[in-house]
Amino acid sequence: MIHPIYGETDYRKVDPKQLNRNIPKGRGMIKWAPFATMPQQFADVRRQIDNQNKIERPELSEDRLQEINTTLHIALAKHQDVTIDYYMDGYIQSIDMTIEKIDQWSAIIIGTAKNNNQTFFISFIDIINITPH
């Protein structure tokens, strides 16, 4: 649309000879420099979202702790596979494993994962649930 007072408002339709060549160029790409930090900001936002999804370590009753202890010892005696749900860094993890040793002194369970034969060390206080197979 041609403006009645100012003429054509779309500079692409105006003859280049009629355009004012004294228009300042501006800062160019300098004005976009602050956006160079965006990947770090995205990483911070992702970390904050992940931190919101974290949970506190569940507190188990004495009865539940005794059940877990009993299940652990039975699984060790029978060389039975178990699924252990444990707390780690704000999340509940789960692993299928064979218990190799219960170390009372350092309060850990030493076991071998079923899927990759990797040795795991799980602290007693991190165990949430044990399900025998």
Side-chain angles (χ1 to χ4, degrees):
M1 175 176 144
I2 297 177
H3 195 278
I5 297 174
Y6 302 111
E8 181 65 53
T9 57
D10 188 357
Y11 72 92
R12 295 172 294 187
K13 296 179 183 177
V14 176
D15 183 25
K17 295 175 187 168
Q18 294 178 344
L19 291 175
N20 184 356
R21 298 286 177 200
N22 294 326
I23 297 174
K25 294 247 182 202
R27 297 178 293 165
M29 289 305 293
I30 295 172
K31 65 182 176 184
W32 299 107
F35 290 97
T37 62
M38 289 304 286
Q40 292 82 6
Q41 291 172 349
F42 285 134
D44 287 343
V45 169
R46 173 59 51 203
R47 190 174 65 249
Q48 289 174 1
I49 290 171
D50 290 342
N51 286 340
Q52 286 178 348
N53 293 333
K54 289 185 177 183
I55 62 169
E56 295 289 324
R57 180 188 314 273
E59 292 185 24
L60 303 177
S61 67
E62 288 297 322
D63 292 339
R64 186 69 187 124
L65 292 172
Q66 186 60 36
E67 288 176 25
I68 290 172
N69 188 32
T70 304
T71 306
L72 273 174
H73 283 85
I74 291 171
L76 177 64
K78 293 183 177 181
H79 301 288
Q80 189 176 21
D81 294 340
V82 294
T83 300
I84 298 180
D85 298 326
Y86 61 98
Y87 177 84
M88 183 172 141
D89 296 330
Y91 298 100
I92 303 290
Q93 306 288 331
S94 183
I95 185 168
D96 293 329
M97 66 186 305
T98 302
I99 298 173
E100 303 293 332
K101 182 178 178 184
I102 299 173
D103 190 351
Q104 298 287 342
W105 180 255
S106 54
I108 60 170
I109 295 171
I110 303 169
T112 305
K114 296 304 293 177
N115 58 356
N116 59 6
N117 290 332
Q118 184 179 0
T119 301
F120 278 87
F121 301 88
I122 301 174
S123 175
F124 287 169
I125 61 171
D126 292 334
I127 297 174
I128 307 301
N129 188 27
I130 295 182
T131 307
H133 292 236

